[in-house]
Amino acid sequence: MGTIEFDVALINGKLIYDGKVTLPIEYDGFAKTLVTPGFADAHAHPQVIDVGEKRRYKNSYDWIKRRKLRIDEKAIREDPDISSRLAAATMLLSVFDGVTLIALTGSVQGNVLALRSIYVHPRVVLQPTILDRKGWLSPQEFLYVMQSFLVESRNVYVGLFLHSLGLASLDTVRTTIRIAKEKDLIMAMHLSEGVYESQTMRELAAMNDFDAKSQLVVVHCFTEPSNCKMLFRGVVSCPTSNMYLYGRTIRSPSNYDALGSDWPLVTGTLRTALSQAHAVSGRRTLDVLINATVGGYRIYGVDWAGDALIFDSDLAKVLESPAEKPKYVFLEGREVIREGTINGSFDYRYAEKMKENVIKQAFEKYPVR
Ligand SMILES: [Zn+2]
């Protein structure tokens, strides 16, 4: 246990000024800003390193159809070395930024290998992506992956991710729902990203006897946020990618439950999404902070005891700038970042370098001409 005096603290979604608190962490002392639990990134694609040119797309399907990628995404997902180094860089950069929980979609093999290759990472919700396209998992393959990898690791939780209604056959949707039900897993999916899909999804859930209100997390939903809030377990907003692709996002924090970085290696970790969400929220600082911390833990049902961040800077700066790194990060009470470093030996610049190297190599190896 440790006793922390602070100027300001966000503790389990409450803001407290000039106080003292005892927490189950290895730290005694002072914090200008204390945040507990830390930040939760409720949606991230660690293998995405190119997103196409900036222009106004109508919706997610329009983007996937018209974008011109400079890199072969499928080849990256299938390359265990590159996809795992991308995931490792994502997790390290995130932890240096104070992200203590991250939900990872994309290459399950890459994400699992990454977890085995680094010894410091946030709590992770693994969300293998199910999609009817070559190079992605089918539901049957997902079951195989679950059984073979299943996750004795500490702080790793299994979920599953259906890419989207438009890119999955009815049969795949049904099977994904069935697996979520049978294995009692939280299912997540992209929904209502420039299109109206909430009613269809509600009906599909009802037809398959699936309690979407308690088991389905939906991502984006800027087209109809209040319907999504009402019908499903949780709404994850990704303001950074939404603004980039469509010039719009959910502004009111009452209309979503958690924040996602979406493309952490392209546009930055959850901290960029947090700054952006705050900027468009109309000064609803506390509500945005709740969504960026406990919100993500709640929708995935993850425990947060002993997760905490200690900043040397004031809260306004933390909100404004992702460059404002926590001095200490605690996970389950253990100190994982001390004085901005892991083990005193490397800091976030090491993770930056790692990211630059692997991205450079990926572009050299799998260019699209
Ligand atoms: Zn996404």
Side-chain angles (χ1 to χ4, degrees), residues 43 45 190 220 262:
H43 183 66
H45 298 262
H190 297 127
H220 298 308
D262 212 1

Side-chain angles (χ1 to χ4, degrees), residues 139-160:
Q140 289 74 18
E141 285 163 329
F142 168 76
L143 282 176
Y144 171 76
V145 165
M146 253 194 85
Q147 277 151 8
S148 53
F149 281 116
L150 196 76
V151 184
E152 316 88 35
S153 320
R154 225 167 137 177
N155 296 334
V156 179
Y157 313 82
V158 175
L160 76 172

